[in-house]
Amino acid sequence: MRLTINWEGLVPLRLQRLVVASTLGLVAGLIAAGSATAASFTAEQAAAGQTAYNTNCARCHGFQLEGPDAPGLAGSDVMQNWDTAGGLYDFISVAMPPENPGGLGEEAYVNIVAYIMSFNGAQPGDEPMVAGDGLYDISLAAETAAGAAAAAPAADAPASAEAASPSVPQAFTWGKQLPGGPAPATTATQPAAPAVPQAFTWGKQLPQVNAPSAQ
């Protein structure tokens, strides 16, 4: 004898649909989150993009993407403004550079996008970035933020032994022994230091405070 449970009778149909929809939404969200932070370009693309950027873009946008003759391309605000790699690609591929808009070719524009992402902290991977609808699935803010967070521990690593105190003392030694050991003791044959400083005498001996009177 087999026991059969009529789940439809126990659980209302509307609740069943709600559970299924919520589950599918959660799975889709996890997939989207994974794809948003996954590496979407290669190191080779970023390197080629840097060359193309320095040749065609840096004179206005700066070699550090700082501007000032054109809008800067670095920073989380910039990444959020462009939203996706597709949005950035769509603009630069038809409007840049001003003297030759759209003239660099699809590959060069994709590589420049990869370099801008890399400069902002996104990490390269094994799969190359390609032009197309897939660019709109690449979140600039998510990839650059995730890459910057992953690289943070290396930047915060403790300083190496190179940061040890220098072998030659710096200023402010005042009473401390300098390298080379103590100075040789003054011998009896050396004349005693004058009690009055010899400043500005230009080689002339000043009279001693307790000098014997002339005979």
Side-chain angles (χ1 to χ4, degrees):
M1 177 178 179
R2 184 173 62 180
L3 178 63
T4 303
I5 299 177
N6 184 2
W7 290 104
E8 292 185 2
L10 297 176
V11 181
L13 181 59
R14 180 178 297 179
L15 182 57
Q16 296 177 40
R17 291 176 177 173
L18 180 61
V19 171
V20 172
S22 299
T23 303
L24 293 177
L26 177 60
V27 172
L30 292 174
I31 294 174
S35 62
T37 57
S40 55
F41 61 91
T42 64
E44 291 75 15
Q45 283 183 307
Q50 181 177 13
T51 300
Y53 175 91
N54 288 344
T55 302
N56 300 282
C57 315
R59 63 182 177 274
C60 296
H61 293 277
F63 285 94
Q64 298 300 315
L65 282 68
E66 77 282 7
D69 296 328
L73 297 172
S76 58
D77 291 343
V78 177
M79 296 296 97
Q80 291 172 3
N81 288 340
W82 286 109
D83 191 27
T84 68
L88 178 57
Y89 173 86
D90 284 346
F91 178 76
I92 66 174
S93 64
V94 299
M96 294 290 136
E99 71 278 6
N100 184 26
L104 302 185
E106 181 180 278
E107 182 179 4
Y109 288 115
V110 169
N111 291 342
I112 290 173
V113 172
Y115 170 62
I116 293 174
M117 293 178 63
S118 175
F119 189 94
N120 280 275
Q123 300 300 306
D126 298 328
E127 293 296 326
M129 180 186 293
V130 295
D133 292 340
L135 290 178
Y136 301 100
D137 296 328
I138 301 172
S139 169
L140 296 180
E143 286 214 17
T144 53
D156 296 336
S160 63
E162 295 178 357
S165 58
S167 57
V168 177
Q170 303 303 306
F172 308 106
T173 56
W174 196 258
K176 298 180 181 178
Q177 180 63 49
L178 295 178
T186 304
T187 62
T189 59
Q190 294 177 321
V196 177
Q198 302 301 303
F200 306 108
T201 60
W202 198 259
K204 298 180 180 179
Q205 180 70 34
L206 293 178
Q208 305 299 311
V209 174
N210 299 319
S213 57
Q215 298 297 329

